[in-house]
Amino acid sequence: MSTAEDYPESAAARAGTLADLDASLVSCRACPRLVAWREETALIKRAAFRDWQYWARPVPGFGPADAALVITGLAPAAHGANRTGRMFTGDQAGDLLFATLHELGLASRPVATRRGDGLELYGVRVTAPVHCAPPANSPTTGERDTCRPWLTQELRLLRPTARAVVVLGGFGWRAALPALRQAGWSLPRPRPAFGHGTKVTLAPADGARAALTVFGCYHVSRRNVFTGRLTPAMLRDVLADAAQAAGLPVVRPGPGPAGPGPSGESG
C-alpha cells in the first residue's frame, strides 16, 4: 500500500499521459511542511483575495501535451498559483512571463488571472520542480527531491515533442538537470553551472530521439525584475531563442500589429 511519502514516485510512474499525471499530482500530500503552508495560506488569505476560494493543492503543469518548449521555474507562489491553481497565474512573475510569451506569439493573451480565463499556450508547457507553495518561497532540498518524480515523468511524457527547455533560476537549474537525466537525456560532465544565457545541448541517452537544448534564465521574480537583474528584454531574448530552438514560430517585436498565434490546446 502506497504511503504519502512514496506517493510521488509510485503515482508518477503509473501515469501514462499528462492528464493522468496532473490528476494524480493534485492529490499529493508527501511533504508535511508544504501541505501545512499551502492550506494555512488558503485560510489566512490576503485582504485583496478574501473572496477567493484558494486552490491550496499541488499545482500541475499548464500547456499542451505535445509542447516543443518547456519552461520550469521554482514553485507556486502562496497567493499566486496556490490561489488560482495554475502555474505562474495570479502574481507579478506570471504577469511578465505570460505577457512576454504573448508578445512572441506563444500565448493567446498577455494577462493570466485564473483557470478558465481563456489563456492558451502555443507549443509551450509551463511547470515547476516543486508543485506546492513553500514558506518564504524556499523549498528544502528534501522537498525538491521528493517532488522530482512528477517533473521527471512530465519530461518523459513530453520527450516525443520537447526540443528546448528554459530553466528559471539557480534552484530550478539544480532541480531540472537530474530530472532531465532520469527522463532520458545525457548530461555533460562536469554538469554545467547555471547562468543567465547559459545554453546546453543534451543528447538522448538512447540515441533514438532528438537532442534537447536547455537555456538558463534568471527567475522572473519580482525582486529580480525590480532590481534590474532581469529585464523584459533579457527574458524576451531567452524565450525567443528557446522557441526557435524548439522549432516554434516566433513573432519578433517590430513595427506594425502582430498577427494571431497558431492554434493550440491549453493545459
Side-chain angles (χ1 to χ4, degrees), residues 156-211:
R156 189 176 289 128
L157 292 169
L158 287 165
R159 277 188 61 182
T161 57
R163 298 295 178 266
V165 175
V166 172
V167 183
L168 302 173
F171 180 95
W173 186 265
R174 292 186 294 273
L177 292 184
L180 287 165
R181 179 183 58 79
Q182 292 171 4
W185 285 278
S186 297
L187 298 182
R189 294 184 179 181
R191 287 189 181 183
F194 172 76
H196 182 83
T198 297
K199 178 180 175 182
V200 181
T201 300
L202 306 183
D206 59 8
R209 298 186 185 273

Side-chain angles (χ1 to χ4, degrees), residues 70 113 116 171 253:
V70 181
T113 57
F171 180 95

Side-chain angles (χ1 to χ4, degrees), residues 35-239:
V35 171
W37 177 252
R38 77 193 191 203
E39 294 177 356
E40 177 185 347
T41 301
L43 292 174
I44 297 174
K45 303 184 180 181
R46 278 186 177 164
F49 307 129
R50 61 181 177 272
D51 295 330
W52 274 78
Q53 181 176 350
Y54 277 47
W55 174 259
R57 288 179 280 170
V59 181
F62 169 61
D66 59 351
L69 171 60
V70 181
I71 301 172
T72 180
L74 172 60
H79 301 282
N82 186 54
R83 169 174 58 90
T84 65
R86 191 173 68 195
M87 284 292 176
F88 284 101
T89 299
D91 60 28
Q92 290 180 327
D95 291 345
L96 176 59
L97 177 63
F98 289 124
T100 306
L101 288 173
H102 178 261
E103 183 181 1
L104 295 172
L106 301 173
S108 63
R109 51 182 294 180
V111 178
T113 57
R114 63 179 68 228
R115 287 175 297 122
D117 61 7
L119 175 66
E120 294 181 71
L121 300 182
Y122 305 134
V124 179
R125 185 168 173 91
V126 180
T127 188
V130 175
H131 287 270
C132 292
N137 293 319
S138 297
T140 66
T141 56
E143 289 162 350
R144 177 200 67 192
D145 295 346
T146 297
C147 206
R148 182 176 296 146
W150 299 117
L151 180 60
T152 297
Q153 186 67 355
E154 188 171 16
L155 292 167
R156 189 176 289 128
L157 292 169
L158 287 165
R159 277 188 61 182
T161 57
R163 298 295 178 266
V165 175
V166 172
V167 183
L168 302 173
F171 180 95
W173 186 265
R174 292 186 294 273
L177 292 184
L180 287 165
R181 179 183 58 79
Q182 292 171 4
W185 285 278
S186 297
L187 298 182
R189 294 184 179 181
R191 287 189 181 183
F194 172 76
H196 182 83
T198 297
K199 178 180 175 182
V200 181
T201 300
L202 306 183
D206 59 8
R209 298 186 185 273
L212 186 78
T213 307
V214 183
F215 295 79
C217 179
Y218 290 140
H219 197 279
V220 288
S221 67
R222 179 173 60 180
R223 179 178 181 179
N224 280 349
V225 175
F226 180 77
T227 61
R229 189 182 196 198
L230 177 70
T231 66
M234 290 167 64
L235 175 65
R236 183 173 61 243
D237 287 346
V238 171
L239 291 179

